[in-house]
Structures are given as C-alpha cells and as structure tokens.
Amino acid sequence: MTKEQFEKVKIPIVEIFHSISGEGISAGNIVVFVRVSGCNLRCTWCDTKYSFPESGDSVRMLLPSEIADEVKSFNSDEIICTGGEPLEEEKEKRYLSAYLAGLGYKVRIETSGASELYQNNELDVFPGAEKNITYCMDVKCPGSGMVYQNMLTNIALLKKGDEIKFVVKDITDLNFSFDVIDAYKKQLSENGIAINFSPVFDSIKPSEIVDFLKERNKYSIDNNLWIRLSLQLHKYIWPPFMRGV
Ligand code: SF4
C-alpha cells in the first residue's frame, strides 16, 4: 500500500483522548491515546473488551487526516497507539501508527506481541516514521489464555527505548515470565529493553510481584536486565474501569 492509498482509507476508531500514560516506562507522560478497534486475541483479563467490535455504534470510521486533526487539537507531541490491536496483520489500521509517526509525533505502540512488529519495507512508505516509533509489547502469560499466540521472534526486533510487558495473574505467570526472560536474556540485555511486570487488576497483589522480583534481583543484575514493576496508574487515579482516561 502506498501512503496516498492509505490516506483514502477509513480506520475504525474507538476513542481518541488526552491523558497520562498509565504504564511502562512512559508512565506519567501526558499523551494522546488513539485506540483502534478490533483484536485477534481474547485475553481472559482484557480490560478493553469494548474495543472488540470493528463496526457499529461504538466505532467511528475516520480518514487518517481526520484522526491527525483530532490528535493535533490536543497540542501534544506524544501518542500511544493502542486498541484492540493496532498492528493486526492484513488490516489497514496496521499502518495508522506509522502514518502518525511520519507526521512527526513520538508514537508508542502498545501491541499484544501476537502480530508482527513493523518490517522496514512497511515503514519506507512513511518517511521519517521509523525513528519516531517505540513499542510496548506484551508477552502473553498462561493466565491470559493466549500464551499460544505469542510471537516471540518479535523480541529480536526490539531496540533501545522499547519495552516488553508481562501481565501476570499468579505465580504460574511469574515463573513463565522468567522462563521467557531467561531464553531471551541476551537480546533483552544487549538492546536495553525494559521488562515490565504488571499485575492483573484485583488478582495478584503488587507486593507479591515485588517479593518475587526481589528474589531474582541478583539474577537481573548478573544478566544486566532492566526488570521493573509497572502499575496501571490510571486505575489508581480514576475509577478502575473508567474509559477515556
Ligand atoms: S490483546 Fe489486548 S485488546 Fe486484545 S484481548 Fe488481549 S488485552 Fe484485550
């Protein structure tokens, strides 16, 4: 697809709003969220199920230029493209993040890790996009019910400024996460990838994760890994399941 062709396509949007980034290494930054609709996964603990429908009353079909105009109205230079799944393959919405990055915005893409990250030839269509894109990529744990969907080959494509996130529900998820970290520790260390642990809300206690990470702190140091707890700030600032914040 060329840039000109993409500019004529309408993209399904659930919401566009101005708030703080709630999690990961960008937590606390003032950003614009662009939430596309549709996701090819069904995580058991998903807190954005309202983003599943790809048409209907909850979805606005917008041209890329209309999305850009709305983003511009917030006077922010940072965007989080989220969903649903913004990088779902063989869907036109996949190119929205690159389009916005090509306009000069710093774009962080929140992806399930079950879709391919951008390949270089895709970004060629949007000059300047590549340097403006970072990823926060989930690695799905057993408690999500979606562990078989992980595309762990994506880890090799991550670079400095990117991060991965394990949303953990219980001790099984914590142990699984460390098996993945151990298998990919060389890439994670060499590329300075932040590794976030985020509790399923109202499930595992954050303090249990802290205890678990403390026990593995020496391992993290010995392997030069950046492992951290990430709480969803917005769920502490506003009612936990409030939308548009
Ligand atoms: S990948 Fe994200 S949007 Fe999709 S089901 Fe899982 S948590 Fe929900």
Side-chain angles (χ1 to χ4, degrees):
M1 179 183 300
T2 66
K3 183 164 176 276
E4 290 68 30
Q5 285 168 331
F6 178 72
E7 284 170 339
K8 294 190 179 74
V9 171
K10 291 197 172 186
I11 307 295
I13 296 290
V14 183
E15 53 189 358
I16 300 175
F17 61 95
H18 199 201
S19 189
I20 54 155
S21 168
E23 37 188 336
I25 53 176
S26 66
N29 291 2
I30 306 292
V31 300
V32 177
F33 282 86
V34 176
R35 188 183 305 283
V36 296
S37 71
C39 182
N40 50 331
L41 303 194
R42 290 293 180 268
C43 302
T44 53
W45 38 253
C46 179
D47 57 3
T48 54
K49 293 188 174 80
Y50 58 85
S51 67
F52 292 166
E54 295 185 54
S55 59
D57 292 347
S58 61
V59 178
R60 288 188 296 156
M61 299 301 296
L62 297 178
L63 289 168
S65 61
E66 293 174 316
I67 297 166
D69 285 347
E70 223 167 293
V71 168
K72 193 176 174 192
S73 71
F74 296 114
N75 294 315
S76 181
D77 65 348
E78 199 171 334
I79 298 173
I80 291 185
C81 282
T82 188
E85 172 51 47
L87 292 182
E88 203 174 338
E89 288 155 52
E90 294 172 23
K91 298 271 172 104
E92 283 140 341
K93 67 178 176 182
R94 176 172 170 84
Y95 301 97
L96 178 63
S97 305
Y99 168 81
L100 293 168
L103 296 179
Y105 292 102
K106 284 181 271 174
V107 176
R108 183 164 290 262
I109 303 174
E110 290 187 339
T111 175
S112 66
S115 296
E116 274 196 343
L117 304 187
Y118 283 131
Q119 309 295 308
N120 282 338
N121 58 344
E122 290 179 283
L123 292 176
D124 289 348
V125 174
F126 302 96
E130 190 176 3
K131 68 177 173 18
N132 289 332
I133 290 173
T134 52
Y135 297 100
C136 178
M137 189 187 95
D138 281 8
V139 177
K140 298 299 181 189
C141 295
S144 70
M146 292 289 118
V147 70
Y148 65 96
Q149 294 275 12
N150 280 325
M151 205 179 269
L152 294 175
T153 46
N154 273 331
I155 292 176
L157 301 174
L158 297 172
K159 56 189 185 317
K160 195 157 184 59
D162 295 336
E163 55 191 318
I164 61 172
K165 182 175 70 182
F166 296 97
V167 178
V168 291
K169 195 172 170 182
D170 52 25
I171 187 70
T172 304
D173 283 358
L174 283 166
N175 285 323
F176 168 85
S177 304
F178 262 80
D179 287 345
V180 173
I181 291 169
D182 198 51
Y184 290 89
K185 59 182 184 281
K186 188 166 181 292
Q187 290 101 316
L188 294 167
S189 165
E190 284 177 359
N191 296 323
I193 306 304
I195 303 163
N196 297 288
F197 280 80
S198 183
V200 174
F201 195 77
D202 271 349
S203 194
I204 192 170
K205 286 192 195 131
S207 59
E208 287 178 59
I209 301 177
V210 174
D211 288 342
F212 187 89
L213 297 183
K214 275 161 56 184
E215 284 167 19
R216 282 149 189 84
N217 195 214
K218 181 164 180 349
Y219 169 89
S220 305
I221 294 167
D222 289 348
N223 290 288
N224 192 32
L225 294 167
W226 181 16
I227 297 180
R228 58 200 302 281
L229 174 72
S230 173
L231 300 180
Q232 293 181 297
L233 287 184
H234 48 286
K235 291 190 177 169
Y236 293 87
I237 299 173
W238 295 284
F241 295 100
M242 190 168 169
R243 285 178 54 175
V245 293

